[in-house]
Amino acid sequence: MSNITLQIGGRAYTVACAEGEEAHVSALGRSIADKVEQMGGGHSEARQLLFAALLLADELHEARGRPGAPATAASSESGAATLEAVAERLEKIASALEG
């Protein structure tokens, strides 16, 4: 396992990932950071991360529905696993912020 630090919404988050997945997880973190930045301030950190995850999930959903979009079992499983990992992380962050 490796640990990497993601910069999202002006905060640093250290997350674990499999060896060799650092660049991929960093790119996912940048996607989330971009969504948080697009929304601007005015929301709690947990809400910003939740909305960013929802926006990314919506983009994934729309991409899957486009004609000619790959809908293989592997891509669906990979996307679902990524969304699940993001959702779990968001739940942990929200719990930490509330507690």
Side-chain angles (χ1 to χ4, degrees):
M1 281 294 218
S2 280
N3 287 327
I4 62 167
T5 302
L6 305 174
Q7 296 291 329
I8 300 172
R11 294 204 49 197
Y13 298 93
T14 300
V15 295
C17 63
E19 292 288 334
E21 290 294 316
E22 297 88 354
H24 178 67
V25 174
S26 291
L28 294 173
R30 281 191 301 278
S31 294
I32 295 168
D34 290 346
K35 293 297 178 192
V36 167
E37 187 176 315
Q38 287 174 7
M39 289 182 305
H43 299 286
S44 70
E45 181 179 10
R47 278 203 178 267
Q48 286 180 332
L49 292 172
L50 172 63
F51 290 142
L54 289 171
L55 290 169
L56 290 167
D58 185 53
E59 288 178 12
L60 179 62
H61 175 76
E62 286 181 12
R64 286 184 180 156
R66 283 190 209 128
T72 65
S75 66
S76 295
E77 288 174 19
S78 175
T82 300
L83 286 175
E84 188 172 320
V86 169
E88 286 177 17
R89 181 70 179 143
L90 286 171
E91 287 175 10
K92 288 178 184 176
I93 291 167
S95 293
L97 290 171
E98 292 171 357

